[in-house]
Amino acid sequence: MTILLPVPDDWQAQARAARISTAGLLTHLGLTPADFPAGVIADPDFPVMVPPHFLAQIRPRDPADPLLLQVLALGQEARPQPGRLTDPLEEADYRAAPGLLRKYRSRALLIASGACAIHCRYCFRRHSDYGATMLTRAREAEALVAIAADPAIEEVILSGGDPLSLPDARLDALVTAIAAIPHIATLRLHSRTLVAIPSRVTEALLQLIASTRLSVVIVLHSNHAHELSADVAAAMARLRAAGATLLNQSVLLAGINDDAATIAAHCRRLFACGVLPYYMHLTDPVAGAAHYDVDEPRARAIDAELRAMLAGYLVPRFVREVPGRDSKTPLAAL
C-alpha cells in the first residue's frame, strides 16, 4: 500500500522530514525487501535521507526506478568489496587549513557543511568525519587567512555535504567574507539540495547571488531527467534571473543512467531548464558502492554514442578524479 505524504513548502521543514527508515521508504512506495534480489539494509551506517519533494518523483511499486536506486540502501552495500576505500580521493592529503582543501592551483575548496538534504548511496564522502574536516565558525578565520595569503587562488568552491544546507544568514556571512578577499573573482557552489528540495531557492539566496561582486557559478548535481521536476525548472529560472551561471555534474551509475539514450534525454532536459551539462563522473572506489560502477570500456562506448546523438555543447565531459593529479582526468586519458 502506498502512503501519500504531504510535501512541506518550507525547505528547512523538508530537510527535517528527509530522515526515513528503509522500511518506511519501501512502505511509502508499495514495495518490500523481496522486490530486490540482494535485499536491503534495514539500519545502514550511512542513514537513508530522502526529502519529500524527491520522494514524490519516485515511481511507486517500481523496484527499478532510477531515483529510488540512488537512495535505497541495497544489500550489496554490506557485501565484501575488495579494494574499496573510505577516502577514495585521498582528501586528507590536501587539507591546507581546517575545512580547506587545496587540490588545484587556482581554486580552493571549502567543506562548508557536513549536512546534505539527500544521501546518495554512491557518495564519495559517505564515510567522511565531517566533525573533524568541515568549516565551522571557529575555524573559518584560519581558512580565509590561508586563501587570502595566496593570490593564485581565483575561485572559491563551496562543497560539503552541501553548502545549501546552511541557513541563508550563515551562507551570506561566509560569502561576504570570501568576497572581501580582493583576488577572488568567482564563487562556485556544488549542490544536490536544489534537485532534492527546490524550495531552497529563497528570496534571501537570490538576493545574495544578485548582490555579491563575485561571479556565481552553481553546479547542480542531477543524474536523471526524472529528477528535474517543474519545481526544479522554476527554481533554476529564478537562479539564472539572479545572475548565476548554471552547470550540471552527473555520476555514471550502473542500472540508473548507463546508456546513451537516458543520458541524452537528461542533457536535453537540463538544457530546457537553463542548465548546461558539465561533467559525467566515473564512480570513485568508495566502500559500499561497488554495485554502481560502470567500467571504462562501457563508459567510452556511451560517450562515443552521445557525441553522435547530441550537439557538442550538450555532451558532458566524461572524467575520473585521480588522486594526486592537478585536474580531473578525461576518460580518453585513462
Side-chain angles (χ1 to χ4, degrees), residues 143-314:
L144 293 175
V145 165
I147 293 171
D150 187 350
I153 300 173
E154 302 170 350
E155 179 176 16
V156 172
I157 303 166
L158 300 186
S159 185
D162 193 309
L164 291 184
S165 67
L166 295 174
D168 286 322
R170 168 64 178 140
L171 186 63
D172 189 289
L174 179 57
V175 172
T176 299
I178 294 167
I181 302 173
H183 55 84
I184 302 304
T186 304
L187 176 74
R188 192 193 325 170
L189 296 93
H190 283 249
S191 181
R192 180 75 160 148
T193 294
L194 295 172
V195 166
I197 309 177
S199 58
R200 178 61 188 90
V201 179
T202 61
E203 290 302 323
L205 177 61
L206 295 170
Q207 178 59 30
L208 170 60
I209 293 168
S211 62
T212 182
R213 71 164 186 85
L214 301 171
S215 297
V216 177
V217 178
I218 296 177
V219 182
L220 192 69
H221 176 180
S222 171
N223 296 318
H224 197 281
H226 292 177
E227 298 173 2
L228 301 173
S229 68
D231 287 340
V232 172
M236 297 302 102
R238 297 177 76 203
L239 290 169
R240 289 174 64 213
T245 297
L246 305 180
L247 307 174
N248 182 72
Q249 64 177 13
S250 300
V251 181
L252 187 62
L253 301 166
I256 293 169
N257 63 359
D258 59 335
D259 66 90
T262 296
I263 297 173
H266 183 216
C267 291
R268 293 184 182 107
R269 176 61 179 157
L270 284 166
F271 192 66
C273 294
V275 183
L276 198 64
Y278 176 38
Y279 278 139
M280 175 64 74
H281 288 268
L282 275 66
T283 49
D284 303 305
V286 62
H291 52 293
Y292 290 110
D293 289 356
V294 177
D295 62 34
E296 290 176 14
R298 173 68 178 149
R300 288 191 181 93
I302 294 170
D303 185 22
E305 192 173 353
L306 277 176
R307 292 178 185 281
M309 295 172 69
L310 296 173
Y313 60 85
L314 288 180

Side-chain angles (χ1 to χ4, degrees), residues 1-7 20-32 50-62 68:
M1 175 181 172
T2 302
I3 300 175
L4 298 178
L5 301 176
V7 177
I20 187 171
S21 66
T22 299
L25 178 59
L26 293 180
T27 298
H28 175 86
L29 296 169
L31 296 167
T32 72
V50 191
H53 173 85
F54 193 91
L55 185 54
Q57 312 313 311
I58 300 174
R59 291 187 299 253
R61 295 175 293 280
D62 182 1
L68 173 63

